[in-house]
Amino acid sequence: MADTSKPPDMQLQIQMDDDVANGQYVNMALVNHSDTEFTLDFIYVQPQQPKARVRSRIITNPKHMKRLVAAMQDNIQRYEAKFGPIAIPEEDGGMH
């Protein structure tokens, strides 16, 4: 009889460099996709400036993207339950 026991679960240790831990402020995101991946560009747009710089780009596969969207929805629901609804003004012009 073959040994079909499952290997013990490994605990993932996540490391973060200081510059990553400090984070980046963004106020715009662009999302693009192909059949195999999603690309998220996080951008900071300064008021009254004609140019904006991408501060971070994340490339992931569709399964991870779906998990990320679910996690974001869950966190928004918990945030709104604690602090109230997040209002998105109509005059945003469709920017996400």
Side-chain angles (χ1 to χ4, degrees), residues 67-81:
R67 288 185 197 112
L68 175 61
V69 169
M72 296 297 288
Q73 288 174 328
D74 179 58
N75 274 272
I76 288 172
Q77 288 173 353
R78 287 192 275 142
Y79 177 95
E80 289 183 326

Side-chain angles (χ1 to χ4, degrees), residues 24-89:
Q24 291 285 328
Y25 178 79
V26 298
N27 54 12
M28 183 177 162
L30 298 176
V31 181
N32 291 294
H33 68 276
S34 69
D35 60 331
T36 59
E37 62 195 18
F38 279 80
T39 302
L40 304 158
D41 288 328
F42 295 96
I43 302 160
Y44 174 58
V45 179
Q46 293 184 27
Q48 307 300 319
Q49 295 296 315
K51 289 185 177 181
R53 183 175 298 273
V54 173
R55 296 235 173 146
S56 184
R57 172 174 276 185
I58 305 300
I59 303 167
T60 191
N61 67 49
K63 288 181 182 180
H64 283 117
M65 186 64 176
K66 191 147 189 176
R67 288 185 197 112
L68 175 61
V69 169
M72 296 297 288
Q73 288 174 328
D74 179 58
N75 274 272
I76 288 172
Q77 288 173 353
R78 287 192 275 142
Y79 177 95
E80 289 183 326
K82 185 172 184 176
F83 300 108
I86 301 168
I88 301 175

